[in-house]
Amino acid sequence: MPHDHQDHDHDHSGMSPSGHPYREDQDRTRSYWQTMEIAARELMIEKGVITADEVAAQIDAMDARSPARGAAIVARAWLDPEFRKLLLVDAPAASTELGIDIGPLNLIAVENTDKVHNVVVCTLCSCYPRDLLGLPPDWYKSRAYRTRAVREPRRVLAEFGVEVPQDVTVRVHDSTADMRYIVIPARPGGTDGMDEAALATLVTRDSMIGVGQARQPG
Amino acid sequence: MTVANSPAGKRWHDMGGDLDHPLAGTIPKADHDFAIWEKRVDALVVLAGKKGVFTVDGLRRVLEDMGEDAFETMTYYERWVAALNQNMLEQGIYSVAELGARMEQVQARGTTYGEANDAHA
Amino acid sequence: MPTPDPLAPGARVRVRTMMPPGHVRTPAYLRGHVGRVERVLGPFGNPEQKAYGHTGDRLPLYRVRFAMADIWPTSEAPSDTLDAEIYAHWLEPL
């Protein structure tokens, strides 16, 4: 029987990459579903489907994915017109050019302008560009968001603090199948002369889902 | 199921536009960092997909068949581990008897997740 | 099942109205509504087969754009749009 605690060694001393403690799941009374997770994982390892090292590596890889990846792509698109063009027609190729491997993710980039505001939802489940933005926030998976975003997107956006003028078209993208979406938010004013790294700090997760705007500098 | 004017055959998870649903109100903004056991469930799902023993469509199919009650009463990764397990059983990766025996062993190791995860001999 | 010929971008299509009980990726709120092909994607394996452990037939996938006014009886702004990905067998060319 494998006796490998490799994945336990990757607990990061109980702290998440964002510096928060994990929920106290290690010390609380174990739930039925946690029991199932341990049992399923051990059986999958013993049957040779996966290894404990692969589980640990996968968790580390997921922890390394954060909205910073998407922000790097957006900042490059703001600065480099050729890159922006490539991103809009072939987002996987553009990501690869930046050294960001998005794996089998079929990515489409959509751009906010003074005429169009894009917003992304998955009404059927919780499809999300996790390779670029990390795991989806809880609200993205909520019934309220999934239900309302396709029917009253402007009210939803207002709830997130984004007022879209009537002469701007709202384009809602329902991720129903194999594609994932990233919104390129509009570049804020007063950012002339800022370099790529500084621009990337203005690009929030929510702005790349379409429920926010890029931050103003300063 | 709960929405009176939805067309016959429309399934609970197919939520787009159902403004009449009692839970389709203000969007809850609270978020949480994922617990290690949740990350493990996520990793198992991704890896099982990569190994070709399972597809995300199979995961979704079971999540949908679990019904609306599960959506409202179980957490996201509780539903995911249930759906992953169902697919592993269907694919013959392990048997119901093996699962039952292993869950019993895990339970006997200790009362917390940490003890049960670490204590197997 | 032979692979249908791909539709061209701009083609008008109606989403089929059938409501089968199994796993499908066509949202109910779009069924019966008319939109235009925004771009052609794929082919991708049919999730309706993959969900049950079978190999999925490779099908064209379309991004179809709908006007909000054509989906909902009342809409916040009629010219706002909804884009969704829909597999070929769910679309009826008009």
Side-chain angles (χ1 to χ4, degrees):
Chain A
M1 180 183 293
H3 186 81
D4 193 335
H5 293 257
Q6 195 63 36
D7 53 342
H8 181 68
D9 297 336
H10 288 250
D11 278 0
H12 306 288
S13 312
M15 301 299 275
S16 75
S18 61
H20 298 103
Y22 291 117
R23 292 193 295 188
E24 320 92 86
D25 60 318
Q26 295 278 41
D27 306 322
R28 264 202 216 141
T29 305
R30 188 190 56 258
S31 73
Y32 175 79
W33 303 108
Q34 290 173 339
T35 302
M36 184 181 284
E37 182 275 313
I38 296 171
R41 169 161 44 94
E42 290 178 1
L43 288 170
M44 288 169 74
I45 291 170
E46 286 165 26
K47 300 292 182 177
V49 176
I50 55 172
T51 68
D53 284 351
E54 287 173 330
V55 176
Q58 175 59 32
I59 291 173
D60 285 348
M62 204 61 235
D63 279 348
R65 288 170 202 156
S66 79
R69 283 191 170 186
I73 289 176
V74 171
R76 172 66 62 90
W78 283 347
L79 284 174
D80 179 343
E82 288 303 313
F83 181 82
R84 173 184 158 273
K85 233 184 273 176
L86 178 63
L87 181 60
L88 289 171
V89 297
D90 188 348
S95 306
T96 305
E97 196 177 297
L98 266 194
I100 297 173
D101 175 18
I102 57 171
L105 183 76
N106 293 295
L107 185 69
I108 290 179
V110 291
E111 184 181 40
N112 286 353
T113 65
D114 53 5
K115 302 259 188 331
V116 173
H117 184 95
N118 295 280
V119 60
V120 181
V121 63
C122 173
T123 60
L124 297 174
C125 51
S126 56
C127 298
Y128 187 77
R130 44 167 45 210
D131 295 272
L132 285 182
L133 301 185
L135 295 173
D138 290 346
W139 59 257
Y140 186 84
K141 303 182 280 192
S142 71
R143 176 187 289 276
Y145 184 72
R146 288 168 55 182
T147 297
R148 295 175 54 209
V150 293
R151 178 82 189 257
E152 47 178 23
R154 288 171 184 264
R155 275 191 205 96
V156 167
L157 290 169
E159 243 173 73
F160 281 90
V162 176
E163 299 284 347
V164 181
Q166 279 298 321
D167 62 347
V168 172
T169 299
V170 172
R171 287 205 197 296
V172 181
H173 303 271
D174 191 352
S175 312
T176 48
D178 296 84
M179 309 310 288
R180 301 293 174 267
Y181 296 87
I182 181 173
V183 176
I184 310 170
R187 180 172 172 173
T191 57
D192 289 355
M194 285 176 72
D195 69 15
E196 200 167 313
L199 286 171
T201 65
L202 305 177
V203 185
T204 63
R205 175 194 69 195
D206 285 3
S207 74
M208 293 182 279
I209 304 171
V211 298
Q213 312 275 21
R215 266 195 283 269
Q216 297 293 323
Chain B
M1 262 182 285
T2 55
V3 179
N5 57 2
S6 64
K10 179 161 138 47
R11 304 185 70 205
W12 72 270
H13 69 279
D14 194 348
M15 295 179 184
D18 274 346
L19 297 186
D20 294 339
H21 193 286
L23 297 176
T26 305
I27 295 158
K29 301 283 171 33
D31 206 3
H32 77 284
D33 277 340
F34 294 100
I36 188 66
W37 87 273
E38 294 177 304
K39 292 183 176 201
R40 287 183 176 132
V41 173
D42 197 273
L44 295 178
V45 166
V46 172
L47 289 170
K50 279 186 187 162
K51 303 287 180 177
V53 296
F54 156 94
T55 65
V56 69
D57 304 289
L59 182 83
R60 291 174 181 146
R61 185 250 312 165
V62 175
L63 291 169
E64 292 162 9
D65 290 350
M66 284 164 67
E68 183 163 19
D69 200 47
F71 182 78
E72 302 298 353
T73 58
M74 292 164 68
T75 68
Y76 189 75
Y77 282 108
E78 286 173 351
R79 283 178 275 127
W80 269 41
V81 75
L84 170 72
N85 178 63
Q86 175 72 25
N87 274 271
M88 293 302 99
L89 291 170
E90 289 173 358
Q91 296 295 322
I93 302 300
Y94 49 74
S95 69
V96 173
E98 287 171 314
L99 175 71
R102 183 55 55 95
M103 287 181 71
E104 211 166 64
Q105 278 178 32
V106 171
Q107 264 165 342
R109 290 177 197 159
T111 55
T112 68
Y113 178 80
E115 285 168 350
N117 185 61
D118 296 339
H120 67 291
Chain C
M1 182 161 67
T3 306
D5 287 334
L7 298 161
R12 284 181 78 230
V13 289
R14 178 181 285 118
V15 182
R16 294 192 189 283
T17 53
M18 59 186 177
M19 210 56 91
H23 174 79
V24 302
R25 297 297 295 178
T26 305
Y29 72 88
L30 291 175
R31 295 187 205 170
H33 295 296
V34 174
R36 285 184 188 276
V37 172
E38 189 265 347
R39 72 180 89 171
V40 185
L41 306 161
F44 290 105
N46 183 353
E48 296 167 20
Q49 296 164 300
K50 286 159 69 185
Y52 299 94
H54 306 294
T55 303
D57 292 337
R58 308 276 289 170
L59 297 175
L61 178 67
Y62 298 97
R63 258 170 64 80
V64 181
R65 179 164 296 169
F66 303 84
M68 286 291 189
D70 290 339
I71 309 175
W72 308 113
T74 57
S75 61
E76 294 173 320
S79 60
D80 286 351
T81 63
L82 184 295
D83 292 11
E85 301 143 46
I86 304 180
Y87 291 93
H89 65 301
W90 275 91
L91 294 174
E92 179 194 339
L94 296 177

